[in-house]
Amino acid sequence: MDNFWQDIRYGIRVLAKHPSFTIVAVLVLALVIGANTAIFSVVNAVLLRSLPFNEPDRLVLLWGSKPNQGRPQVPFSLPNFKDVQAQSQTVAGMSAWTLGRFNLTNSTANAEPEQVQYAIVSTNFFSVVGVEPSYGRAFIPEEEEPGASRAVLISNNLWARRFNSDRDVVGKPITLDGQSYEIAGILPSGFSFLSFPKDTDVWLPFGLDSFRDRKYARGVNSLGVIARLKPEVSAAQAQGELDTIARRLEQQYGDVNAGWTIKVAPLQEQVVKNLRLAL
């Protein structure tokens, strides 16, 4: 212990004799420590911290794939999605979505019209990702079919900037592309999904899809798919089952599904795959 304190005293005397060197050394150390702290904060937030969903490790994205055409990631068609959803036994829930843009024209405070991004989703979407509205309700199964209702959910950001965070907007109309819809619920603050190229502000069930023939269009690949694995089911086990389902659908619909496979991508890995190497 005496040697340790002798070294400390010697170091202080040396640094005191060379103040310029001491100042530079301290500044460099401060910069390096600060930079490493900042980098770790980013890595922790992007790569290490769990996604803001219930049990995010069980969430996976499903992609179609046509390797013989050099297309490793292909969206699903609605018929293929429905068949996979019906036949899979390894997932607790599976939901699809597609994106678009609306012109929003009505809100409080005489706000100017604006373009908002919307997502059309399966009615079980929010139960699959494990998120509930802060106010109002989520979609119900009947809203999967046309004509059931004109209910939509809105993001917390849209609620704040266009409706002054007024809880009474639940049940009130919202005008999108000149059509009236009813605000059924408001999503919680911090919920973020489908944020490309913009944040999604309006959510509709497939019963409100303007493309009425989508359910017959097996060759129209336009849907993203997310699934929640059953407890104790690994991504590899789900992949094995989906390989079998894909071969079955290829045999049934060879004119459209020739060379079509399904790929399972854990959501966390998919989110950070383009950032991991850079970070």
Side-chain angles (χ1 to χ4, degrees):
M1 194 66 180
D2 290 340
N3 290 335
F4 172 76
W5 288 112
Q6 287 177 5
D7 290 341
I8 292 294
R9 288 192 292 270
Y10 175 75
I12 291 173
R13 287 197 300 271
V14 170
L15 292 175
K17 290 180 181 178
H18 303 85
S20 297
F21 170 79
T22 301
I23 292 171
V24 172
V26 170
L27 288 175
V28 169
L29 282 171
L31 287 171
V32 171
I33 292 170
N36 276 279
T37 301
I39 290 171
F40 176 77
S41 297
V42 174
V43 171
N44 180 57
V46 176
L47 299 184
L48 304 180
R49 190 173 299 166
S50 294
L51 297 168
F53 306 127
N54 182 36
E55 297 182 292
D57 55 311
R58 290 170 53 199
L59 290 174
V60 296
L61 296 180
L62 304 185
W63 290 97
S65 180
K66 291 196 172 183
N68 57 344
Q69 298 179 11
R71 301 167 66 192
Q73 288 189 338
V74 181
F76 272 62
S77 67
L78 187 56
N80 278 339
F81 164 73
K82 289 291 189 182
D83 286 339
V84 173
Q85 184 184 43
Q87 296 179 36
S88 176
Q89 300 297 313
T90 58
V91 301
M94 187 183 300
S95 182
W97 75 82
T98 187
L99 300 178
R101 295 286 184 86
F102 273 144
N103 286 311
L104 168 63
T105 54
N106 76 316
S107 62
T108 59
N110 298 316
E112 292 294 321
E114 69 168 299
Q115 264 202 346
V116 295
Q117 181 166 292
Y118 70 82
I120 299 173
V121 298
S122 306
T123 54
N124 67 341
F125 177 84
F126 295 103
S127 65
V128 169
V129 298
V131 171
E132 295 182 359
S134 297
Y135 306 103
R137 64 170 179 84
F139 297 129
I140 57 177
E142 291 79 3
E143 289 167 338
E144 195 85 14
E145 300 301 323
S149 77
R150 297 188 64 77
V152 302
L153 275 69
I154 63 173
S155 71
N156 199 277
N157 285 336
L158 182 66
W159 178 54
R161 76 174 184 267
R162 300 289 299 209
F163 298 98
N164 296 331
S165 300
D166 181 5
R167 299 184 188 183
D168 290 337
V169 301
V170 174
K172 299 293 179 63
I174 182 172
T175 304
L176 303 165
D177 279 356
Q179 301 292 315
S180 181
Y181 299 83
E182 179 185 303
I183 299 175
I186 299 159
L187 293 168
S189 176
F191 171 70
S192 179
F193 192 73
L194 309 182
S195 297
F196 179 83
K198 297 174 64 177
D199 287 339
T200 297
D201 280 321
V202 180
W203 304 76
L204 300 85
F206 266 108
L208 296 176
D209 187 5
S210 60
F211 182 14
R212 297 299 188 191
D213 290 334
R214 193 188 301 271
K215 61 183 178 180
Y216 307 113
R218 194 172 294 272
V220 178
N221 299 310
S222 58
L223 303 180
V225 176
I226 188 169
R228 178 174 291 276
L229 301 179
K230 288 182 177 179
E232 309 305 324
V233 171
S234 68
Q237 289 172 315
Q239 182 66 71
E241 179 198 51
L242 293 169
D243 288 342
T244 300
I245 294 174
R247 286 193 296 270
R248 189 183 302 143
L249 294 177
E250 182 181 18
Q251 292 172 357
Q252 286 182 267
Y253 307 102
D255 55 332
V256 176
N257 282 9
W260 185 73
T261 62
I262 303 171
K263 297 299 180 185
V264 177
L267 181 60
Q268 177 76 25
E269 293 183 13
Q270 188 81 7
V271 167
V272 303
K273 71 172 186 176
N274 294 326
L275 300 174
R276 185 184 301 275
L277 182 59
L279 290 174

